[in-house]
Amino acid sequence: MQLAKVIGTLVSTHKNEMLKGKKLLFVQPLDDRLVPFGNEMLAVDGVGAGVGDVVIILNEGGSARLITKAKSPYAPIEVCIAGIVDSIQTDDHYEVLK
Amino acid sequence: MQLAKVIGTLVSTHKNEMLKGKKLLFVQPLDDRLVPFGNEMLAVDGVGAGVGDVVIILNEGGSARLITKAKSPYAPIEVCIAGIVDSIQTDDHYEVLK
Amino acid sequence: MQLAKVIGTLVSTHKNEMLKGKKLLFVQPLDDRLVPFGNEMLAVDGVGAGVGDVVIILNEGGSARLITKAKSPYAPIEVCIAGIVDSIQTDDHYEVLK
Amino acid sequence: MQLAKVIGTLVSTHKNEMLKGKKLLFVQPLDDRLVPFGNEMLAVDGVGAGVGDVVIILNEGGSARLITKAKSPYAPIEVCIAGIVDSIQTDDHYEVLK
Amino acid sequence: MQLAKVIGTLVSTHKNEMLKGKKLLFVQPLDDRLVPFGNEMLAVDGVGAGVGDVVIILNEGGSARLITKAKSPYAPIEVCIAGIVDSIQTDDHYEVLK
């Protein structure tokens, strides 16, 4: 589970049937100060997130399928967006995002 | 799930029976501006992709088996190609790929 | 499984139902000398840890669900805190944390 | 799934029963031009590979158990060798390995 | 699966019940020449290893649970020690460890 920012969308018409109707978003992992790190991923949206939102991402097939309400327990989903973040609190800073 | 480019093919005659008949492709992960990052992988093709295509890859056994229509739920597949990308849209650029 | 320090908390009101009521914490992996390395993660608390604690984290869905007492075997949890560390002993140093 | 080269062997007499009789090999990941990258791993051999062979490796427990014909679905195997590579073809080079 | 050296131990009294009675060790991955690389992990001991031993580690929940004889198939274990290494043989060097 990581903090991430939604940075873009993707269109794919020729894809596996089970991915049809699912919104795919580019997400960039962030640390607790919202500094980007690591590699971008593609995530299936499970909460109605949009470009610019700071979100919680999950990178586990079992969890991702559940959150995106995949009909089959074996739907081909691996990364998903599980929540939109309102605020972050650490020892020395507090940030309201929404 | 990541964006990737198909960059090559591989021939292996001496391989596990359950991999026979499956097309193995080299894929290079890309960010949303199509800049390569990270390490190449080998992926089983699930959508009829070819060298040069920009694709969606999945790196989870359960999903990969499903997309490549493996007969057994335990087929030895780990990474697969799940879609061919038409276009990418971010805050400040739009790219048509197909 | 890794050693990590709890460095912050996060509020998300718009999230998947199954994550409701679960405390999400930022954790930073540490080596045996408590030097940070690698990337921050978000973890679900399973032992009552707080900011500043040095903890054991698990990064596997099956284990994480168990420790956080998720009602469903398919609850969308991926990383969790499984213990609070008292002391560390290596060849040449000994550190009491609690 | 990755391309890799078999670079060594390992002897362990004091090991878990379920690993007994299994050949453990050091493998080094390679890119499509056979340039090494990333970290070495230990893999269980599933195809009769030897030191110097360029092989296909799988890094998923379910697949690895299947290929190495583990009697139990829960045998403790995580990485395996699934095929020996004959040739590689990319946009601008072609290499015969066997 | 990786080669690793046991470098320390850890005490945690306030931990998940299912981890009670399990020995947790710090392990540092090594390459075939015993040079450290990558990040330290915490592993549950499954073979009676001690500080200084060169060992085989597994990083998969299913395997780890089996080796450490966890009573429940869902015990929260992710990384384990599966064997103690006697010797390593590569193209150009041979090392006896025990």
Side-chain angles (χ1 to χ4, degrees):
Chain A
M1 296 165 96
Q2 284 179 306
L3 197 70
K5 187 169 194 167
V6 180
I7 59 169
T9 58
L10 171 153
V11 175
S12 163
T13 47
H14 184 68
K15 62 183 169 188
N16 184 272
E17 253 178 50
M18 282 167 290
L19 282 176
K20 284 188 181 153
K22 304 229 175 288
K23 186 167 55 158
L24 280 169
L25 298 170
F26 282 98
V27 292
Q28 168 63 57
L30 302 176
D31 70 15
D32 64 293
R33 289 180 175 279
L34 309 181
V35 179
F37 69 82
N39 296 328
E40 286 178 20
M41 282 176 273
L42 288 173
V44 175
D45 182 29
V47 291
V51 173
D53 281 338
V54 174
V55 296
I56 302 165
I57 56 170
L58 271 151
N59 191 344
E60 192 217 17
S63 299
R65 281 183 276 271
L66 197 73
I67 282 185
T68 56
K69 290 174 187 160
K71 277 168 209 161
S72 155
Y74 297 109
I77 296 165
E78 177 195 353
V79 184
C80 76
I81 297 174
I84 299 175
V85 178
D86 301 300
S87 65
I88 291 167
Q89 168 88 58
T90 65
D91 258 11
D92 53 6
H93 80 127
Y94 177 68
E95 192 140 1
V96 178
L97 294 159
K98 276 261 158 177
Chain B
M1 296 164 96
Q2 285 179 306
L3 197 70
K5 187 169 193 167
V6 181
I7 58 169
T9 59
L10 171 152
V11 174
S12 163
T13 47
H14 184 68
K15 62 183 170 186
N16 184 273
E17 254 179 49
M18 281 166 290
L19 281 175
K20 285 189 179 153
K22 303 231 176 287
K23 186 167 55 160
L24 281 169
L25 298 171
F26 281 99
V27 292
Q28 168 64 56
L30 302 176
D31 70 13
D32 65 292
R33 288 179 177 279
L34 308 181
V35 179
F37 69 82
N39 296 327
E40 284 179 21
M41 282 177 272
L42 288 173
V44 175
D45 182 29
V47 290
V51 172
D53 281 339
V54 174
V55 296
I56 302 166
I57 56 170
L58 271 151
N59 191 345
E60 192 217 16
S63 299
R65 282 182 275 272
L66 196 73
I67 282 185
T68 57
K69 290 176 186 157
K71 276 167 209 161
S72 156
Y74 296 108
I77 295 166
E78 177 196 353
V79 184
C80 76
I81 297 174
I84 299 174
V85 177
D86 301 299
S87 65
I88 291 166
Q89 167 89 59
T90 66
D91 258 10
D92 53 7
H93 79 125
Y94 177 68
E95 192 140 1
V96 178
L97 294 158
K98 277 260 160 180
Chain C
M1 297 165 95
Q2 284 179 307
L3 196 71
K5 187 168 195 167
V6 180
I7 58 170
T9 59
L10 171 153
V11 175
S12 163
T13 47
H14 183 69
K15 62 183 168 187
N16 184 272
E17 254 178 48
M18 282 168 289
L19 281 176
K20 284 186 180 153
K22 304 230 174 286
K23 187 167 54 158
L24 280 171
L25 299 170
F26 282 99
V27 292
Q28 168 64 56
L30 302 176
D31 70 15
D32 64 293
R33 290 180 174 278
L34 309 180
V35 179
F37 70 82
N39 296 327
E40 285 179 20
M41 281 176 273
L42 288 172
V44 175
D45 182 28
V47 291
V51 172
D53 282 338
V54 174
V55 296
I56 302 165
I57 56 169
L58 271 151
N59 191 347
E60 192 219 15
S63 299
R65 282 183 276 270
L66 196 74
I67 282 185
T68 57
K69 290 174 186 158
K71 277 168 210 161
S72 154
Y74 297 108
I77 296 165
E78 178 196 351
V79 184
C80 76
I81 297 175
I84 299 175
V85 178
D86 301 300
S87 65
I88 290 167
Q89 167 90 57
T90 66
D91 257 11
D92 53 6
H93 80 125
Y94 177 68
E95 192 141 0
V96 177
L97 293 159
K98 276 262 158 178
Chain D
M1 297 165 93
Q2 285 179 307
L3 196 70
K5 187 169 192 167
V6 180
I7 58 169
T9 60
L10 171 153
V11 174
S12 163
T13 48
H14 184 69
K15 63 183 169 186
N16 185 274
E17 254 180 49
M18 281 167 291
L19 281 176
K20 284 187 179 152
K22 302 229 175 289
K23 186 168 56 158
L24 281 170
L25 299 171
F26 282 99
V27 291
Q28 167 63 56
L30 303 177
D31 70 12
D32 64 293
R33 290 181 174 278
L34 309 180
V35 179
F37 69 82
N39 296 326
E40 284 177 22
M41 281 177 272
L42 288 172
V44 175
D45 182 29
V47 291
V51 173
D53 281 339
V54 173
V55 297
I56 302 166
I57 56 170
L58 271 151
N59 192 343
E60 192 218 17
S63 299
R65 282 183 276 272
L66 196 74
I67 282 185
T68 57
K69 290 174 186 159
K71 277 168 207 160
S72 155
Y74 296 109
I77 296 166
E78 178 197 352
V79 184
C80 76
I81 297 175
I84 300 175
V85 177
D86 300 299
S87 65
I88 291 166
Q89 167 90 58
T90 65
D91 257 11
D92 52 7
H93 79 124
Y94 177 67
E95 192 141 2
V96 178
L97 295 158
K98 277 260 161 182
Chain E
M1 297 165 93
Q2 284 179 306
L3 196 70
K5 186 169 195 167
V6 181
I7 58 169
T9 59
L10 171 154
V11 174
S12 164
T13 47
H14 184 69
K15 63 184 168 186
N16 184 273
E17 254 179 49
M18 281 168 291
L19 280 176
K20 284 186 180 152
K22 303 229 174 289
K23 187 167 55 158
L24 280 171
L25 299 170
F26 282 99
V27 291
Q28 168 64 55
L30 303 176
D31 70 13
D32 64 293
R33 287 179 176 277
L34 309 179
V35 179
F37 69 83
N39 296 327
E40 284 178 23
M41 282 177 271
L42 288 173
V44 175
D45 182 27
V47 290
V51 172
D53 281 339
V54 174
V55 296
I56 302 165
I57 56 170
L58 269 151
N59 192 345
E60 191 219 16
S63 299
R65 282 183 277 270
L66 195 75
I67 282 186
T68 58
K69 290 174 185 158
K71 278 168 208 159
S72 154
Y74 296 108
I77 296 166
E78 178 196 353
V79 184
C80 76
I81 296 175
I84 300 175
V85 177
D86 300 299
S87 65
I88 290 167
Q89 167 90 57
T90 65
D91 256 11
D92 53 7
H93 80 123
Y94 176 67
E95 193 141 1
V96 177
L97 294 158
K98 277 262 161 178

